[in-house]
């Protein structure tokens, strides 16, 4: 369905992601706003890994509304508020996405709308 792009002429990805993903013509695209690690009851776990789990659970719920799932994700943009949270985020992402994995960017930011948030994830899915 998707063509995962990992040219041999450039350095391979640092982790489990593809440099690019080609979506074939005729596929629907779903763009998901950034999701934070928060439950419907406003609970925010302290742990960055637990927040990442909630981010992806929220993404899965949104994609489910469109009849899609995590396997339909072609691009992930993720943000963490401290370098210390990189590994926790990557451990969850690597568990949820097998090879070939989506294209992905991970950025360290100065913070989010509320100080307790450590991770935010937005995606592009196609199906």
């Amino acid at each position: 369905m998707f063509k995962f792009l990992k040219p041999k002429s450039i350095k391979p990805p640092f982790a489990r992601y593809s440099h690019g993903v080609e979506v074939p013509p005729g596929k629907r695209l779903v763009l998901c706003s950034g999701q934070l690690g928060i439950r419907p009851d406003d609970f925010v776990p302290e742990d960055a890994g637990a927040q990442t789990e909630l981010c992806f659970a929220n993404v899965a719920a949104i994609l489910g509304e469109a009849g899609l799932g995590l396997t339909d994700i072609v691009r992930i943009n993720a943000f963490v508020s401290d370098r210390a949270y990189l590994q926790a985020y990557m451990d969850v992402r690597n568990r949820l996405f097998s090879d070939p994995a989506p294209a992905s960017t991970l950025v360290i930011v100065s913070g989010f709308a509320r100080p307790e948030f450590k991770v935010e994830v937005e995606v592009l899915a196609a199906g």
Side-chain angles (χ1 to χ4, degrees), residues 6 70 111 115 121:
K6 293 184 182 181
L70 295 180
V121 175

Side-chain angles (χ1 to χ4, degrees), residues 36-39 43-56 79-82 84-93 95 112 115-120:
L36 296 160
I38 187 169
R39 293 190 325 211
F43 175 76
V44 177
E46 176 66 27
D47 179 70
Q51 285 193 24
T52 303
E53 294 280 356
L54 278 172
C55 290
F56 280 110
F79 310 90
V80 296
S81 59
D82 192 290
Y85 308 139
L86 290 172
Q87 193 62 53
Y89 164 79
M90 289 189 300
D91 288 346
V92 173
R93 182 199 62 198
R95 182 175 47 73
F112 299 108
E116 64 266 39
F117 295 130
K118 296 176 176 159
V119 180
E120 183 169 347

Side-chain angles (χ1 to χ4, degrees), residues 12-30:
F14 291 112
R16 183 174 291 155
Y17 64 88
S18 298
H19 282 305
V21 180
E22 181 180 345
V23 177
K27 295 294 180 187
R28 293 179 308 124
L29 294 179
V30 176

Side-chain angles (χ1 to χ4, degrees), residues 1-111:
M1 166 156 127
F2 305 125
K3 182 177 179 184
F4 294 88
L5 309 171
K6 293 184 182 181
K8 302 266 188 243
S9 62
I10 65 175
K11 180 151 178 62
F14 291 112
R16 183 174 291 155
Y17 64 88
S18 298
H19 282 305
V21 180
E22 181 180 345
V23 177
K27 295 294 180 187
R28 293 179 308 124
L29 294 179
V30 176
L31 292 82
C32 183
S33 295
Q35 296 301 303
L36 296 160
I38 187 169
R39 293 190 325 211
D41 64 1
D42 285 333
F43 175 76
V44 177
E46 176 66 27
D47 179 70
Q51 285 193 24
T52 303
E53 294 280 356
L54 278 172
C55 290
F56 280 110
N58 293 341
V59 164
I62 293 163
L63 295 179
E65 289 283 309
L68 301 176
L70 295 180
T71 58
D72 298 302
I73 292 174
V74 295
R75 173 135 182 86
I76 302 169
N77 290 325
F79 310 90
V80 296
S81 59
D82 192 290
R83 187 174 304 279
Y85 308 139
L86 290 172
Q87 193 62 53
Y89 164 79
M90 289 189 300
D91 288 346
V92 173
R93 182 199 62 198
N94 291 346
R95 182 175 47 73
L96 293 175
F97 298 92
S98 59
D99 288 327
S104 183
T105 298
L106 177 54
V107 178
I108 301 169
V109 298
S110 63

